[in-house]
Amino acid sequence: MSAHCPWSAHEGCCRAHPSTRDQPPQPPIHRIEIPEQKLEPSNAASNGGQPPPPYIDPRSSYAITPIHLAVEHHLSLQHLDCVRRRLEEKPTPQLVPELSAKGSISRSDGTRIEWNSYVYFERGRFLQRQQTLYLRKDGMAKRKENFISCPHHSIEIDGPTFGFQDDRLTAKTLIVNNPPRCEVHFGGTEWNSLHGDYLQMNVCQICHCDAECIIALEIDNLFVWYTCYKDLGTGDASNPDAKWIALLTGRGTPCRDTESFELYARVWGAAKSLDQRGLEDVTHRNSRGVFNVYSHWMQSQNTQNQETTDRGT
Ligand SMILES: [Zn+2]
Ligand SMILES: [Zn+2]
Ligand SMILES: [Zn+2]
Ligand SMILES: [Zn+2]
Ligand SMILES: [Zn+2]
């Protein structure tokens, strides 16, 4: 099989490599396997040499892992369950301020991370948008940053190297997806600001989680926007749904179309209808073509308005 990745350096790469597209679907990517029963330490060897993650009861107060260490906000099922009883059904998405937070850290090496975490309630489900904005200037200590979308996927971004080309400041870095997204980019994707902004979307097959990464050099600042769009489920602690269990423990069955932007569009749209900030209007690309979230949202608004008008007449 000839190894060829169709994506240029500023587009990241897809899960569905064209050389494998015509073949049967690939087996699901399971980085963490947790059996139904409590794992004993002696089972460690059966997990590909990796020590097994501790068994977690999804009804317990464990929180899902924030997308970055800087995010000091931990959400458990009990938090959702608690507000669920108080929320009233509304036709439009609501922000849940009790479960939303934001903050920032400035490090001694000069890097800065701003973060926010929003929970929305829409049609009986909790949605979450968690975002970090990472910023660094030239001349700062090199340090890798790790961003975690769910138990099945994370991304590591090398400390960037700055340089000059044609009198312009350039930045380059290496983006490593774990697990790798295709066989060509097993060791990561090299990005150089001369290619344009970096853009990738990772859709987990198991968790209802879409993770977006945008890297851009603006004047002399390197920016990384990392945003996760999640469906947290119903928030019913007496009957935890599969969505929550998957996000918390990694356990679950592949149920999602990884070439669909539906969840991303739904959470983005909820935030947009609440007039929130930090929404990047970008055009993503996958094997099905291009997808612009803003035009998608505008279209859905027009459809809704049309339906309202139709009902009114
Ligand atoms: Zn590929
Ligand atoms: Zn690739
Ligand atoms: Zn690819
Ligand atoms: Zn996942
Ligand atoms: Zn599902």
Side-chain angles (χ1 to χ4, degrees):
M1 194 193 318
S2 72
H4 164 75
C5 180
W7 306 98
S8 60
H10 63 289
E11 287 166 330
C13 71
C14 63
R15 224 178 246 293
H17 188 273
S19 64
T20 58
R21 203 178 288 163
D22 297 333
Q23 294 174 12
Q26 299 299 301
I29 296 156
H30 279 279
R31 200 153 66 86
I32 298 173
E33 282 281 4
I34 305 175
E36 292 297 323
Q37 296 306 311
K38 208 174 182 126
L39 280 170
E40 297 302 329
S42 60
N43 288 357
S46 64
N47 196 24
Q50 298 269 342
Y55 175 77
I56 296 164
D57 180 345
R59 279 157 298 187
S60 76
S61 59
Y62 283 98
I64 49 173
T65 310
I67 58 173
H68 189 278
L69 279 174
V71 179
E72 293 169 346
H73 182 67
H74 299 270
L75 189 67
S76 76
L77 189 55
Q78 272 60 34
H79 290 130
L80 298 179
D81 195 62
C82 182
V83 295
R84 189 177 66 96
R85 298 153 202 274
R86 281 185 271 129
L87 290 168
E88 284 169 41
E89 271 297 340
K90 288 186 187 160
T92 52
Q94 318 171 45
L95 178 70
V96 184
E98 306 95 302
L99 302 181
S100 302
K102 58 183 177 180
S104 64
I105 57 159
S106 294
R107 298 191 185 123
S108 53
D109 67 1
T111 53
R112 182 175 164 80
I113 295 174
E114 292 171 15
W115 61 269
N116 55 62
S117 186
Y118 295 108
V119 170
Y120 315 99
F121 188 68
E122 188 202 31
R123 288 179 275 149
R125 317 207 65 83
F126 287 98
L127 306 174
Q128 188 190 46
R129 181 171 69 100
Q130 200 167 70
Q131 184 174 54
T132 53
L133 167 60
Y134 163 88
L135 189 157
R136 87 182 287 150
K137 283 185 194 297
D138 190 5
M140 292 171 176
K142 285 191 75 161
R143 165 171 168 167
K144 284 181 183 177
E145 295 295 335
N146 198 36
F147 301 90
I148 301 160
S149 54
C150 73
H152 312 100
H153 177 255
S154 65
I155 182 170
E156 192 180 80
I157 300 172
D158 261 3
T161 312
F162 290 86
F164 269 96
Q165 195 163 329
D166 304 329
D167 288 336
R168 274 169 67 196
L169 183 71
T170 60
K172 60 179 179 183
T173 186
L174 181 73
I175 299 120
V176 181
N177 276 275
N178 182 17
R181 307 182 95 201
C182 81
E183 65 273 33
V184 182
H185 292 112
F186 205 80
T189 306
E190 271 189 35
W191 171 80
N192 187 318
S193 56
L194 291 169
H195 298 141
D197 297 350
Y198 180 87
L199 192 54
Q200 86 162 52
M201 179 69 84
N202 187 80
V203 178
C204 184
Q205 266 188 298
I206 296 171
C207 304
H208 290 242
C209 172
D210 295 353
E212 178 185 56
C213 179
I214 302 171
I215 309 177
L217 178 70
E218 287 180 9
I219 312 175
D220 58 348
N221 282 312
L222 183 92
F223 291 95
V224 178
W225 286 268
Y226 190 76
T227 312
C228 281
Y229 306 87
K230 294 177 181 171
D231 183 340
L232 307 172
T234 58
D236 183 352
S238 63
N239 181 25
D241 73 31
K243 293 184 174 77
W244 180 266
I245 293 170
L247 283 166
L248 186 70
T249 68
R251 203 168 62 208
T253 42
C255 62
R256 299 192 63 215
D257 176 359
T258 55
E259 300 293 299
S260 161
F261 291 112
E262 205 183 319
L263 176 59
Y264 157 56
R266 185 175 168 186
V267 182
W268 196 98
K272 185 72 187 166
S273 66
L274 290 160
D275 232 353
Q276 286 201 306
R277 301 177 64 169
L279 294 168
E280 298 298 320
D281 169 17
V282 293
T283 301
H284 283 282
R285 204 179 109 171
N286 66 12
S287 66
R288 291 196 190 138
V290 294
F291 181 86
N292 179 272
V293 73
Y294 182 71
S295 342
H296 180 89
W297 182 75
M298 286 297 285
Q299 261 171 28
S300 69
Q301 292 302 104
N302 291 339
T303 314
Q304 270 174 29
N305 291 343
Q306 192 56 48
E307 279 167 6
T308 317
T309 318
D310 290 351
R311 246 180 277 132
T313 52

